[in-house]
Amino acid sequence: MPEFNAPLRDMRFVLHEVFDAPALWARLPALADNIDADTADAILEEAAKVTSHLIAPLNRSGDEEGAHWVYGQVTTPVGFKQAYATYIEGGWVGLSGNADFGGMGMPKMLAVQFEEMLYGANSSFALYSALSSGACLALDAHASEELKNLYLPPMYEGRWAGSMCLTEAHAGTDLGIIRTRAEPRADGSYSLSGSKIFITGGDQDLTENIIHLVLAKLPDAPAGPRGISLFVVPKMLVNADGSLGHANAVSCGSIEHKMGIKASATCVMNFDGASGWLVGEANKGLAAMFTMMNYERLSIGIQGIGCAEASYQSAVAYARERLQSRSPTGATAPNQIADPIIVHPDVRRMLLSMKALTEGGRAFASYVAQQLDLAKFSDNFRERDNAQSLVALLTPVAKAFFTDTGLESCIHGQQVFGGHGYIREWGQEQLVRDVRIAQIYEGTNGIQALDLLGRKVLADSGVALRQFTGEIRHFAHQPDAPYCAQLFDAVQRLENLSDWLQDQAATNRNEIGAASVEYLHLFGYVAYAWLWARMAQVAKKKAAKIRSFMGRRWPPLTSISSACSRAF
Amino acid sequence: MPEFNAPLRDMRFVLHEVFDAPALWARLPALADNIDADTADAILEEAAKVTSHLIAPLNRSGDEEGAHWVYGQVTTPVGFKQAYATYIEGGWVGLSGNADFGGMGMPKMLAVQFEEMLYGANSSFALYSALSSGACLALDAHASEELKNLYLPPMYEGRWAGSMCLTEAHAGTDLGIIRTRAEPRADGSYSLSGSKIFITGGDQDLTENIIHLVLAKLPDAPAGPRGISLFVVPKMLVNADGSLGHANAVSCGSIEHKMGIKASATCVMNFDGASGWLVGEANKGLAAMFTMMNYERLSIGIQGIGCAEASYQSAVAYARERLQSRSPTGATAPNQIADPIIVHPDVRRMLLSMKALTEGGRAFASYVAQQLDLAKFSDNFRERDNAQSLVALLTPVAKAFFTDTGLESCIHGQQVFGGHGYIREWGQEQLVRDVRIAQIYEGTNGIQALDLLGRKVLADSGVALRQFTGEIRHFAHQPDAPYCAQLFDAVQRLENLSDWLQDQAATNRNEIGAASVEYLHLFGYVAYAWLWARMAQVAKKKAAKIRSFMGRRWPPLTSISSACSRAF
């Protein structure tokens, strides 16, 4: 049974040493009283306990057992219900939720660390609450005060969960053609009818209620994406005092048999004149739903990092124990029948690739979270606006690049195990199966790439892109910035390619889609290069201090701060 | 349920039009009477029927049911036993086997096409006979006449199967440390004791007997790989007249729970004083086993191509049917709710990548097979010798590059399906799971890369490499060779990198392992580039003829030979 340990030291390195998040929190009034370095560390330590000891041990068994569907009811695998009850006691679902409705109001920079732990421990388990947190965000942003008062407190508490009902059998990427209808009733509610597929957590036995956010069309709605409205449709109807009433006309028709995330119920949801309430304005539902989708896109990106971290932990432990053949430069364990395989350069190549990609991803997720915090909490209009542009630009990169490199990492981790990597008991193959979905759902990575290149770069004439590359150039101009020449070169290439594609697209619209995935990968590597250099800068300074402290003798690798060994 | 259709036209294109195999067969005396273009086509058509109609329909059900192990006996999934009985009636197990012992004596160039169909139809099913064919090859090359007479005829017939018992729990890549012992008996046989793991088809219910080829150590054997001997150990003892006697002391202790190839039984095999007979010389078993291993390495490479072809067929069909969004250049199916997704450039990018990789792989496998045929059948000593060097050089490339690009292709195929790619019923996720093992077993792809760079290139001082690059240069010097400048450049890069690595390795042995996987990928792409250019050369000529025939009007894409549309 593989073990998972939340990478606390690595997370603190990013939060405190690379981004100096406590300094940012101290200057943002909404956060200053709420959080500081010590509180953040305490929360992360508690999160590490919950994810490593309560949730991770259910990962293998959940995969083997899977979710069950019997007579329209979903039951989760053995242990999930009890663990979920303990889990929500910590208030984790509302970690970065609005404090006015019972959320903890913590910064996103902290929440992304927690999300990584949760996905690393158990992706299926993580999804049950990831959808709740995102649904809360959309309700908080777009619903009436009445709906917010009714739904948000039990959702932040985790007693009720959320779901996201977009896809129909004939309409996945193309939401403009959905058929689910919403008929207005005299009492201001709506009657929803239609069928949705691929609904994560559409039914489960973990929570008292499930709050479905459903896209549907009003009778007089215009065709296409501008005719879609968003509704809140609870599984159990909610009385005015917040107590539960009758069951709503919502049912789970079946669950899917999948490659992975088998403990997460992926549901067909049928709405047969179900009662729903409009969220936001009529026909503007897609924009409102994007609040949730963008939240989930970053979250699903983080699934890629979490799985990669879990795979790395398991692979590096195996590589230190498994004895096979001798080091090419002579035996390192002459008293044993063979050397541990970590001595072999190709094994090291795989492990170091995983480590580099995971650390780049963690830093990038933290950077996007920092921008989300600025966009939400800054009292400076320009700063909020700048941050918002960066979030829009970088969210598709985060979703697609974290998950593409997440699969790559998990495949390396599996390969390190040799034949045992293919055997279920060892856990590596599950990570490959579980992480694979993250490239597909929440908008395929091809769709993310189109969003990045078509909408966020070209349609914006490269304004947000220049804002981002400007930040990289600013870093590289520092006298002690490592790899500055390479960074200037990388940024220039990204800008040149963007300009070239702008020209190409002017005469042939097909060029955007043909180039977009490769473009996103270049973008991702440039962003990681910058963040690797930032981490190296910090690590080098610390290493220099330690050398000076230890009398200028370079200490053995095991005795210096883990910060020194991480980058480059 | 996905359909599989053997890509007959594409295979004929490679065999007849690109390599002109019939001309080669006509000049090799051992083949001239056996095979010509028409016979080859007839065999391929029969193979297509067997694989597409008999074996492919068991692929999904075999995955869902898996192999069973009850009280030491393995049973294969429903339908396998009956299909296997029909399958062996065609003599397919002995397709390229020695005709003196009942094989069909067909060229390997034909056999690799059949192997691709078999893996594309059903990788698990394919493995049961792939091991038999390889075991026959090793017995034919190294066993005494007595053993060959006893074992080969029923094995070629398919009534008996073969297995390959190398790995032990503590010894995978590192076979020098195996512990299975063979004690000589007075009657010339040996008593084998030990436990082997990961034995594909170690037990099954398809054949009357299973002939295990087992690596073990004699009591006085030197330590390490030079102290390993090869034994033939039948499941059922064989009387002198070929009839079956008592059960041997061999048992299947359990089967593995795996990520994929679930219908293939991966067995723990226990030998408890089992009767075995020495194959070849004492202590030279590893070299003898390499006859089988090299056969299996090419075969497993072809698993990568077969799975990729199956994934492509399914993905392109889905992309033509699934309606979603509009083409970026305007609706192509204005009467439908959306355009088929094949109009989207990113979907085309994925499909064309798959197609290019699969066709490159098929041509490369055919080229290696051509060299195997020359090495076996040529009456010219130099030609045999040259061919043998190329086989040694290219086998690790074939095994690793076909399977690395095979996984890449299957992941593209799954991605084309969007959410449905993750659902088991659609078949794409099974191909990803099934093809993944091919990068691991038969020597991990990291081991193949070490073999290529360390042993086949550097230890050989680049002699075989120059032989291969010389052939590419020879092609590129032709006046009508397409992409000749790019080919010269690619070959030069490969040679320069090889020289540079030779220098690096002189001072640091770690450089070989650190660079080997990337080196193998460069090698593979250069080889594919050459074969793509060869295919383009042929296709261009045919296209020119067709244009001239049709009055110099460029015909619509659907009406020209599929040969014209395939390359570049």
Side-chain angles (χ1 to χ4, degrees), chain A residues 34 93-106 133 136-137 139-141 145 148 152-153 156-157 376-377:
Chain A
N34 240 348
V93 179
L95 185 62
S96 58
N98 187 344
D100 294 345
F101 299 96
M104 282 171 67
M106 287 294 154
S133 303
C136 288
L137 198 73
L139 288 173
D140 190 34
E145 288 301 305
K148 287 200 268 191
L152 283 180
Y156 283 138
E157 228 181 293
K376 187 170 171 185
F377 296 118

Side-chain angles (χ1 to χ4, degrees), chain B residues 341-484:
Chain B
I341 61 170
I342 201 168
V343 303
H344 298 301
D346 185 55
V347 172
R348 297 171 86 87
R349 175 189 67 86
M350 291 189 279
L351 292 170
L352 288 168
S353 299
M354 297 174 79
K355 194 170 168 63
L357 291 172
T358 304
E359 293 180 355
R362 183 177 298 125
F364 191 70
S366 301
Y367 176 76
V368 176
Q370 187 186 44
Q371 302 309 314
L372 280 163
D373 287 335
L374 285 169
K376 187 169 170 185
F377 296 118
S378 171
D379 46 14
N380 177 303
F381 162 76
R382 272 189 84 126
E383 190 173 52
R384 284 205 305 277
D385 205 48
N386 275 343
Q388 194 51 56
S389 310
L390 285 173
V391 168
L393 177 74
L394 300 179
T395 297
V397 182
K399 193 279 181 181
F401 199 62
F402 294 173
T403 58
D404 283 351
T405 55
L407 178 73
E408 184 185 333
S409 292
C410 293
I411 284 174
H412 281 318
Q414 183 183 26
Q415 196 75 14
V416 167
F417 274 69
H420 297 97
Y422 202 67
I423 308 297
R424 294 215 300 270
E425 284 80 349
W426 292 82
Q428 283 286 7
E429 64 84 36
Q430 183 189 344
L431 290 167
V432 173
R433 288 187 288 104
D434 284 357
V435 80
R436 180 68 183 94
I437 187 59
Q439 301 172 290
I440 299 174
Y441 62 10
E442 277 318 310
T444 65
N445 285 2
I447 291 296
Q448 305 299 324
L450 267 183
D451 180 44
L452 172 70
L453 181 58
R455 210 175 305 177
K456 306 294 174 59
V457 174
L458 300 188
D460 179 56
S461 302
V463 174
L465 171 72
R466 254 72 184 183
Q467 189 186 333
F468 182 64
T469 53
E471 195 158 336
I472 301 182
R473 283 211 168 81
H474 179 76
F475 168 82
H477 272 300
Q478 292 173 89
D480 67 339
Y483 303 96
C484 54

Side-chain angles (χ1 to χ4, degrees), chain B residues 167-239:
Chain B
T167 304
E168 301 179 7
H170 70 294
T173 295
D174 193 357
L175 289 170
I177 57 175
I178 59 167
R179 293 184 189 133
T180 298
R181 318 276 312 169
E183 303 278 346
R185 288 177 183 153
D187 66 357
S189 71
Y190 293 80
S191 166
L192 276 88
S193 298
S195 190
K196 299 282 182 180
I197 66 165
F198 296 161
I199 308 309
T200 300
D203 195 40
Q204 34 80 355
D205 58 353
L206 305 174
T207 61
E208 300 163 17
N209 203 359
I210 303 173
I211 311 307
H212 305 289
L213 293 195
V214 185
L215 292 183
K217 308 204 77 159
L218 293 167
D220 56 352
R226 284 161 212 273
I228 297 176
S229 302
L230 178 62
F231 299 87
V232 61
V233 182
K235 175 182 178 180
M236 304 299 297
L237 293 168
V238 181
N239 299 319

Side-chain angles (χ1 to χ4, degrees), chain A residues 159-161 204 207-211 234-238 244:
Chain A
R159 284 194 295 116
W160 299 0
Q204 33 82 352
T207 60
E208 298 163 17
N209 203 358
I210 303 173
I211 310 309
K235 175 182 177 179
M236 305 299 296
L237 292 168
V238 181
L244 298 184

Side-chain angles (χ1 to χ4, degrees), chain B residues 174-314:
Chain B
D174 193 357
L175 289 170
I177 57 175
I178 59 167
R179 293 184 189 133
T180 298
R181 318 276 312 169
E183 303 278 346
R185 288 177 183 153
D187 66 357
S189 71
Y190 293 80
S191 166
L192 276 88
S193 298
S195 190
K196 299 282 182 180
I197 66 165
F198 296 161
I199 308 309
T200 300
D203 195 40
Q204 34 80 355
D205 58 353
L206 305 174
T207 61
E208 300 163 17
N209 203 359
I210 303 173
I211 311 307
H212 305 289
L213 293 195
V214 185
L215 292 183
K217 308 204 77 159
L218 293 167
D220 56 352
R226 284 161 212 273
I228 297 176
S229 302
L230 178 62
F231 299 87
V232 61
V233 182
K235 175 182 178 180
M236 304 299 297
L237 293 168
V238 181
N239 299 319
D241 64 355
S243 63
L244 297 184
H246 295 295
N248 201 353
V250 185
S251 60
C252 175
S254 63
I255 61 175
E256 305 289 347
H257 307 110
K258 306 190 299 294
M259 178 186 201
I261 54 165
K262 293 188 177 184
S264 166
T266 305
C267 304
V268 172
M269 296 304 297
N270 297 316
F271 300 87
D272 301 303
S275 297
W277 287 267
L278 186 68
V279 176
E281 285 180 58
N283 298 330
K284 299 209 169 152
L286 202 55
M289 194 55 130
F290 255 101
T291 304
M292 180 167 184
M293 275 197 267
N294 280 325
Y295 175 93
E296 301 300 343
R297 283 177 176 185
L298 179 57
S299 179
I300 289 311
I302 293 169
Q303 183 185 357
I305 305 172
C307 290
E309 169 67 28
S311 178
Y312 174 76
Q313 288 185 15
S314 183

Side-chain angles (χ1 to χ4, degrees), chain A residues 64 168-175 177 179 197-198 256-262 266 322-329 337-338 343 345-346 349 407 410-412 414-415 418-425 429 432-437 439-440 444-447 508-514 516-518, chain B residues 64 168-175 177 179 197-198 256-262 266 322-329 337-338 343 345-346 349 407 410-412 414-415 418-425 429 432-437 439-440 444-447 508-514 516-518:
Chain A
E64 289 295 335
E168 301 179 8
H170 69 294
T173 295
D174 193 357
L175 289 170
I177 57 176
R179 294 187 189 129
I197 66 166
F198 296 160
E256 305 290 347
H257 307 108
K258 307 191 298 296
M259 181 187 199
I261 52 163
K262 293 188 177 184
T266 305
R322 172 76 173 171
L323 305 176
Q324 208 74 177
S325 303
R326 292 295 178 190
S327 162
T329 52
I337 52 164
V343 304
D346 186 54
R349 176 188 66 86
L407 178 72
C410 292
I411 284 175
H412 281 319
Q414 183 183 27
Q415 195 74 14
H420 297 97
Y422 202 65
I423 308 298
R424 295 216 299 272
E425 283 81 350
E429 64 83 37
V432 172
R433 288 187 289 104
D434 284 356
V435 81
R436 180 69 183 91
I437 187 59
Q439 301 174 291
I440 299 173
T444 64
N445 285 2
I447 291 296
N508 183 357
R509 297 296 295 168
N510 280 323
E511 293 286 353
I512 301 175
S516 50
V517 165
E518 302 292 342
Chain B
E64 289 295 335
E168 301 179 7
H170 70 294
T173 295
D174 193 357
L175 289 170
I177 57 175
R179 293 184 189 133
I197 66 165
F198 296 161
E256 305 289 347
H257 307 110
K258 306 190 299 294
M259 178 186 201
I261 54 165
K262 293 188 177 184
T266 305
R322 171 76 173 171
L323 305 176
Q324 207 75 176
S325 304
R326 293 295 180 190
S327 163
T329 52
I337 52 164
V343 303
D346 185 55
R349 175 189 67 86
L407 178 73
C410 293
I411 284 174
H412 281 318
Q414 183 183 26
Q415 196 75 14
H420 297 97
Y422 202 67
I423 308 297
R424 294 215 300 270
E425 284 80 349
E429 64 84 36
V432 173
R433 288 187 288 104
D434 284 357
V435 80
R436 180 68 183 94
I437 187 59
Q439 301 172 290
I440 299 174
T444 65
N445 285 2
I447 291 296
N508 183 357
R509 297 296 295 167
N510 280 323
E511 293 285 353
I512 302 176
S516 51
V517 165
E518 301 292 343

